[in-house]
Amino acid sequence: QCPPQWPQSRLALLAGVVATVILVGWGLSHLGSSSPVPYQKNGRWGFADSSGKPVIPATFTAASPFQAGRAVVAKDGAYGFVDENGKEVVPLVYDALNPYADGYARARVGDAYTFVNEKGEEFDSYYFNAFDFAEGHAAVLDHRGWYYISGPAEPTKPVIFIEAYSFVNGLARVKLADRYTYITPKYLNDPSEDTKPFGRYQLATDFAEGRARVTQNGRSFIIDKHGDEVK
């Protein structure tokens, strides 16, 4: 016995309903999104508006979502920024480029790192390694060791660390000569201050949700932002 056949009119109605649901769902997912979104065509990337209409041609080999009106794009391994009209606001000349953080974008030129401001101007200094800006500071590495910068100008007397990491909720994990600890930005202005309430730890993680795991005297435990053990 053959399966029942749907009338053509009912099939057409069903197809219309399905198409409408798909379009409505797609529209809702993009509702309120004023910035173009990346799309891919023939192996290249461009940007489309909330209706799916291309507004920046698919000419890039890589493209990231827009943040604050700018997007990182690449052509054949060279990275830069474009604005929402597709204009290059930072030339595609970098070997790697991160989105802006605190007004500066971390860029890599060969094996060296630097930063670019929102005008596309590079810092004068280059570093062996660097982290993105966070809470007004970026940890960078040169021949002396790790230290923090707060903008294009180099600090006159930087506090040097064996390791240094990004600030999270006012605290940064660093490694001194005698193990890991945590500092506030005030320590950078006056390193004679003690790092209390934090001790020295053989191992330590960055803070996350107000907690960090440390190892002291061979024992691993959790501390809060006051340096107290969390039971």
Side-chain angles (χ1 to χ4, degrees):
Q1 182 179 0
C2 294
Q5 298 295 313
W6 284 57
Q8 290 296 322
S9 59
R10 185 170 294 183
L11 286 173
L13 177 61
L14 180 61
V17 170
V18 171
T20 300
V21 170
I22 292 173
L23 288 173
V24 169
W26 190 92
L28 288 174
S29 69
H30 289 74
L31 189 63
S33 176
S34 58
S35 297
V37 295
Y39 79 96
Q40 191 173 29
K41 180 180 179 181
N42 298 328
R44 294 270 170 166
W45 289 91
F47 295 87
D49 62 19
S50 58
S51 69
K53 177 183 177 182
V55 292
I56 300 176
T59 60
F60 305 108
T61 52
S64 68
F66 275 94
Q67 295 184 25
R70 295 188 176 187
V72 177
V73 296
K75 284 185 178 180
D76 303 320
Y79 290 80
F81 281 102
V82 295
D83 63 17
E84 294 184 1
N85 295 315
K87 178 184 176 182
E88 288 187 15
V89 290
V90 174
L92 278 64
V93 296
Y94 295 100
D95 295 304
L97 188 62
N98 280 12
Y100 283 96
D102 283 2
Y104 303 108
R106 179 165 58 106
R108 181 169 62 82
V109 181
D111 293 328
Y113 291 85
T114 188
F115 295 88
V116 180
N117 68 16
E118 292 179 343
K119 295 181 180 180
E121 300 167 336
E122 279 187 19
F123 285 19
D124 291 333
S125 300
Y126 289 81
Y127 309 100
F128 299 147
N129 203 348
F131 288 99
D132 290 339
F133 272 82
E135 301 184 8
H137 296 83
V140 297
L141 174 68
D142 71 5
H143 65 281
R144 297 168 293 181
W146 285 92
Y147 62 99
Y148 290 90
I149 60 174
S150 58
E154 285 287 304
T156 54
K157 293 183 178 180
V159 183
I160 304 299
F161 303 95
I162 296 176
E163 296 177 21
Y165 299 89
S166 299
F167 279 93
V168 179
N169 296 326
L171 292 171
R173 175 170 57 106
V174 297
K175 188 175 185 181
L176 304 175
D178 59 345
R179 305 181 181 180
Y180 292 95
T181 190
Y182 299 90
I183 63 168
T184 68
K186 291 182 179 180
Y187 185 90
L188 302 177
N189 297 324
D190 185 6
S192 65
E193 290 189 8
D194 199 350
T195 60
K196 292 180 179 179
F198 302 103
R200 299 291 190 269
Y201 310 105
Q202 295 162 302
L203 297 172
T205 66
D206 293 330
F207 272 89
E209 299 181 353
R211 301 287 188 270
R213 178 171 289 278
V214 297
T215 300
Q216 188 178 53
N217 300 323
R219 189 173 70 91
S220 179
F221 54 97
I222 302 294
I223 60 171
D224 61 19
K225 293 180 64 177
H226 303 291
D228 297 326
E229 182 175 352
V230 177
K231 301 295 185 178

